């Protein structure tokens, strides 16, 4: 006999008939010999309707009262599902988040879970009852018992947190798709089901807009070793297994408020090749990295910065043993493309090291990258390359600063330095999934003084306003202005945050001494994710070539160990997604059947 936590989303409980179908599925799980906790969302579009009611009453409803209002949606679902179980003769009881003892921080509409008082859950389970829990909600501590909600995707978070607290054998997330797909099936009709995926890959895809699982739920599963499965509410198919790395038992106090960074790493076997004034047109990156792939050269970081005029800068890092060959490829690359070779510069730097921080807890915490930059700046360590993903921030620094840098980061984040390698599965495909985020804006800051602390000051300003930054790129080209060397810094934010971000940056422009602030909201980000791309040359080249064949220009490039992201024009985003999906052989012969849940 095992303990299983099942979560059903709004579409799964969107009508009386669907609630009855869920009840039958739950009863079948009990009949198979399992104890069951069920977490449910509000019915269908209930939450949207409640939000509309609130804004019909007030243009600025208080966050506390919004939590009081929105938490009622799940109470309807749990009561009805429990009644449906009773009608089938199955003992069951419904509990709100408060009754369960889901204790959160006092942050209305976006609270994180501190801990879960499991005594009542365990008592009802011991009595043979199915416990039906309201997802998305909790309560603050004993001082005031304020109702809180967990934000978007909160029922996923509730379910996995309960599974972690109870040390459940499995947490099953039931949804209206058959599992995790290689891409959004609405945009890529021949997207296929992924049978298994690592938590690291799922974190990246979830953060890139894959809506099947919320990143916070995956973060908990990764940190507590929860066995997580995503399945269809409408079939008995096995779905997708999300593989968590093995973890020793750990306390569930501060469940979502643990360390945001769980590892820092140093790589001194790195060398940089930078190509300045690269022609800004489709196919250039594809040809360059295609040449490197033909030479079987394994490229680590890849960064393409914002263009100046009709040119870009492209920089990449390789192991030092491969530097001579990589530099030769770069030097030979331009004569075949440009007769005016003298306008191009190829820079080589062996005096660098890469320092990185990793951790699932960085998601949704804008201040982590800024904290890293600030810690290094306080020690007078200047940043050269910056590359980011949802669970990794990497910077190159001068080799002479490497030892100090890693010691400072270890102390700052209270973790031990180690070689950080994302979790891998045997025979993993190079790309597990492809994602498109069309709701991005690019902000470019010109002429930032090239000295320690500038990146820290810029991104701390945004973090203080809870603005999350995704891709961060610092240009390779520097220029002297008034006797001060400067570089450009570009980054992406959610398009909804762009206007506020620009206003904040204008507010510190004079103090920090940088130039113009430019914003482009007509962009999209297409990304590939896969642990199988580690130490496998040619993956980036294949992605770039797919875009080149469609004559899609790449505006920015940033990479991590398991993710490559390119910024393209917004109008070309869907075409870019489809081209890359096909290039990695992810198209199936027939589309995956997605039920029409609107009927």
């Amino acid at each position: 006999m095992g303990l299983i936590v099942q979560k059903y989303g709004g579409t799964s409980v969107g009508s009386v008939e669907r609630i009855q179908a869920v009840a039958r599925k739950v009863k079948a799980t009990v009949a198979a010999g399992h104890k069951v906790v069920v977490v449910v969302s509000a019915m269908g579009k209930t939450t949207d309707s409640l939000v509309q009611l609130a804004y019909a009453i007030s243009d600025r409803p208080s966050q506390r009262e919004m939590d009081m209002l929105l938490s009622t949606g799940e109470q309807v679902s749990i009561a009805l599902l429990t009644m449906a179980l009773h009608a089938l003769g199955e003992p069951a009881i419904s509990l709100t988040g408060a009754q369960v003892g889901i204790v959160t921080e006092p942050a209305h509409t976006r609270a994180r879970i501190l801990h879960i008082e499991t005594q009542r859950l365990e008592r009802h389970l011991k009595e043979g009852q199915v416990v039906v829990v309201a997802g998305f909600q909790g309560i603050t501590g004993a001082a005031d018992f304020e109702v809180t909600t967990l934000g978007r995707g909160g029922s996923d978070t509730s379910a996995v947190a309960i599974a972690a607290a109870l040390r459940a054998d499995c947490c099953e997330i039931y949804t209206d798709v058959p599992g995790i797909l290689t891409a959004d099936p609405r945009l890529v009709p021949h997207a296929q089901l992924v049978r298994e995926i690592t938590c690291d890959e799922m974190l990246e895809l979830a953060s890139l807009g894959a809506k099947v699982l919320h990143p916070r739920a995956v973060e908990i599963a990764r940190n507590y070793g929860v066995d997580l499965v995503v399945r269809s509410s409408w079939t008995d198919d096995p779905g997708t297994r999300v593989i968590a790395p093995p973890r020793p038992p750990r306390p569930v106090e501060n469940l979502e408020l643990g360390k945001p960074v769980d590892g820092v790493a140093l790589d001194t076997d790195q060398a940089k090749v930078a190509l300045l004034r690269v022609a800004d047109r489709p196919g250039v990156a594809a040809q360059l990295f295609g040449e490197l792939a033909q030479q079987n050269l394994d490229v680590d970081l890849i960064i393409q910065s914002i263009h100046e005029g009709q040119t870009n800068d492209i920089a990449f890092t390789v192991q030092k043993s491969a530097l001579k060959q990589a530099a030769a490829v770069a030097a030979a690359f331009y004569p075949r493309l440009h007769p005016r070779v003298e306008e191009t510069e190829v820079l080589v730097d062996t005096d660098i090291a890469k320092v990185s921080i990793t951790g699932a807890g960085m998601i949704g915490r804008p201040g982590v990258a800024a904290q890293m930059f600030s810690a290094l700046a306080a020690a007078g360590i200047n940043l050269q390359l910056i590359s980011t993903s949802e669970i990794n921030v990497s910077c190159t620094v001068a080799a002479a600063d490497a030892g100090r840098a890693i010691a400072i980061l270890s102390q700052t984040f209270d973790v031990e330095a180690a070689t950080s390698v994302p979790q891998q599965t045997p025979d993993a495909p190079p790309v597990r999934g492809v994602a498109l985020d069309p709701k991005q804006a690019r902000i470019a800051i010109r002429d930032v003084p090239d000295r320690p602390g500038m990146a820290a000051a810029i991104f701390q300003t945004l973090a203080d306003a809870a603005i999350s930054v995704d891709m961060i790129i610092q240009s390779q080209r520097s220029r002297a202005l008034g006797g001060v060397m400067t570089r450009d810094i570009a980054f992406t934010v959610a398009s909804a945050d762009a206007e506020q971000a620009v206003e904040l940056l204008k507010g510190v422009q004079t103090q920090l001494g940088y130039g113009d602030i430019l914003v482009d909201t007509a962009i999209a980000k297409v990304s590939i994710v896969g642990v199988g791309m580690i130490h496998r040359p040619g993956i980036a080249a294949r992605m770039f070539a797919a875009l080149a064949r469609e004559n899609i220009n790449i505006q920015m490039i940033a990479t991590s160990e398991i993710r490559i992201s390119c910024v393209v024009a917004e109008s070309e985003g869907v075409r870019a997604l489809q081209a890359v999906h096909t290039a990695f052989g992810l198209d199936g012969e027939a589309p995956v059947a997605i039920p029409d849940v609107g009927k």
Side-chain angles (χ1 to χ4, degrees):
M1 178 182 289
L3 171 58
I4 296 178
V5 177
Q6 296 182 337
K7 178 263 177 178
Y8 293 90
T11 54
S12 301
V13 293
S15 66
V16 169
E17 293 76 18
R18 290 180 191 161
I19 289 173
Q20 291 170 330
V22 168
R24 290 192 293 270
K25 190 179 287 285
V26 172
K27 183 176 176 63
T29 305
V30 175
H34 301 292
K35 296 179 180 179
V36 183
V37 175
V38 184
V39 178
V40 294
S41 302
M43 294 176 65
K45 300 292 184 181
T46 298
T47 301
D48 292 341
S49 299
L50 292 173
V51 170
Q52 290 173 5
L53 282 173
Y55 280 92
I57 294 292
S58 169
D59 291 335
R60 299 182 65 182
S62 81
Q63 291 186 325
R64 180 189 185 278
E65 301 311 323
M66 286 297 290
D67 276 357
M68 291 291 285
L69 176 67
L70 298 183
S71 65
T72 64
E74 280 71 22
Q75 289 181 240
V76 174
S77 299
I78 61 173
L80 292 175
L81 178 56
T82 303
M83 293 174 189
L85 286 165
H86 289 167
L88 296 175
E90 189 63 51
I93 185 170
S94 64
L95 299 176
T96 66
Q99 290 173 313
V100 168
I102 299 176
V103 180
T104 75
E105 62 183 351
H108 287 293
T109 74
R110 54 181 177 82
R112 288 181 177 263
I113 298 172
L114 298 177
H115 62 274
I116 299 176
E117 304 287 351
T118 60
Q119 295 91 335
R120 186 170 183 183
L121 281 170
E122 291 168 340
R123 172 163 54 87
H124 289 301
L125 290 169
K126 188 175 181 179
E127 292 170 353
Q129 294 177 304
V130 173
V131 185
V132 184
V133 178
F136 177 65
Q137 61 184 251
I139 195 167
T140 60
D144 46 22
F145 295 111
E146 288 288 310
V147 173
T148 55
T149 62
L150 309 182
R152 186 177 69 85
S155 292
D156 287 352
T157 305
S158 300
V160 182
I162 290 171
L166 291 173
R167 292 183 169 84
D169 295 281
C170 183
C171 180
E172 299 175 339
I173 305 293
Y174 285 90
T175 182
D176 52 13
V177 295
I180 308 302
L181 302 178
T182 52
D184 186 339
R186 296 168 300 177
L187 304 178
V188 183
H190 283 73
Q192 294 299 295
L193 179 68
V194 176
R195 293 297 179 186
E196 65 177 34
I197 188 170
T198 68
C199 277
D200 287 334
E201 292 169 317
M202 192 65 246
L203 278 167
E204 294 281 16
L205 287 172
S207 302
L208 290 164
K211 298 177 181 178
V212 179
L213 272 177
H214 195 275
R216 282 170 60 184
V218 186
E219 174 188 347
I220 297 169
R222 181 183 185 273
N223 289 343
Y224 289 89
V226 175
D227 188 6
L228 186 59
V229 179
V230 181
R231 304 178 65 180
S232 171
S233 298
W234 322 110
T235 71
D236 294 323
D237 294 340
T240 302
R241 184 167 297 278
V242 183
I243 303 170
R247 300 282 190 190
R250 57 190 292 186
V252 289
E253 291 295 319
N254 293 324
L255 197 146
E256 281 199 277
L257 293 183
K259 296 177 183 177
V261 173
D262 57 28
V264 298
L266 172 65
D267 186 351
T268 57
D269 188 22
Q270 291 269 307
K272 179 181 70 177
V273 179
L275 296 87
L276 309 186
R277 300 177 181 85
V278 178
D280 182 27
R281 65 168 186 252
V284 173
Q287 292 180 59
L288 170 61
F289 290 97
E291 293 282 344
L292 293 167
Q294 286 183 12
Q295 298 293 322
N296 202 36
L297 293 172
D298 189 16
V299 176
D300 186 4
L301 297 180
I302 302 173
I303 293 178
Q304 177 177 305
S305 58
I306 55 176
H307 63 266
E308 182 181 81
Q310 299 301 311
T311 65
N312 289 320
D313 297 343
I314 298 179
F316 60 91
T317 63
V318 294
Q319 291 181 331
K320 288 181 178 178
S321 61
L323 175 61
K324 185 175 180 180
Q325 191 177 3
V329 169
F333 174 65
Y334 277 95
R336 295 197 300 276
L337 289 177
H338 303 288
R340 295 162 60 185
V341 183
E342 69 279 359
E343 291 190 1
T344 301
E345 297 179 54
V346 177
L347 305 180
V348 174
D349 188 357
T350 60
D351 186 32
I352 68 165
K354 183 179 75 171
V355 292
S356 305
I357 59 173
T358 60
M362 290 193 282
I363 294 172
R365 299 180 189 178
V368 177
Q371 188 178 1
M372 177 187 187
F373 302 156
S374 296
L376 296 175
I381 297 173
N382 202 25
L383 307 181
Q384 300 176 6
L385 298 180
I386 301 171
S387 185
T388 63
S389 79
E390 297 299 332
I391 59 174
N392 177 284
V393 181
S394 294
C395 305
T396 61
V397 299
D401 293 329
R404 284 194 305 127
I406 203 68
I408 289 164
L409 294 178
S410 297
Q411 182 179 17
T412 299
F413 295 106
D414 190 25
V415 293
E416 293 184 4
T419 301
S420 178
V421 179
Q423 66 179 113
Q424 300 181 52
T425 56
D427 304 317
V431 174
R432 194 84 72 175
V434 185
L436 175 70
D437 187 349
K439 298 179 180 180
Q440 290 264 307
R442 180 183 64 197
I443 297 175
I445 307 177
R446 298 291 192 184
D447 305 323
V448 178
D450 187 21
R451 61 173 180 261
M454 294 305 298
I458 289 168
F459 295 110
Q460 190 61 57
T461 298
L462 301 178
D464 289 344
I467 295 176
S468 293
V469 175
D470 186 10
M471 299 170 67
I472 302 174
I473 292 177
Q474 183 168 269
S475 70
Q476 287 302 293
R477 224 176 305 177
S478 60
R479 54 183 171 270
L481 290 177
V484 176
M485 297 304 296
T486 68
R487 296 183 188 271
D488 299 337
I489 294 179
F491 56 92
T492 59
V493 297
S495 54
D497 291 332
E499 183 177 351
Q500 183 186 5
V502 170
E503 289 305 310
L504 289 168
L505 293 171
K506 286 181 178 177
V508 295
Q509 186 172 17
T510 302
Q511 175 190 341
L512 297 181
Y514 47 71
D516 294 338
I517 303 168
L518 310 176
V519 62
D520 183 359
T521 57
I523 65 165
K525 181 180 66 181
V526 62
S527 306
I528 59 174
V529 173
V531 296
M533 69 175 66
I534 298 173
H535 302 312
R536 190 176 296 184
I539 303 304
R542 199 189 310 182
M543 180 183 188
F544 303 156
L547 298 177
R549 284 192 293 272
E550 294 294 320
N551 201 37
I552 295 173
N553 197 33
I554 300 172
Q555 300 179 21
M556 294 171 65
I557 301 169
T559 66
S560 73
E561 281 84 353
I562 65 170
R563 168 177 158 185
I564 302 171
S565 294
C566 297
V567 168
V568 300
E570 182 181 26
S571 60
E572 297 176 329
V574 174
R575 196 157 51 91
L577 177 73
Q578 294 169 342
V580 172
H581 192 270
T582 299
F584 286 98
L586 300 178
D587 290 348
E589 294 182 3
V592 171
I594 307 296
D596 185 355
V597 297
K599 295 182 180 178

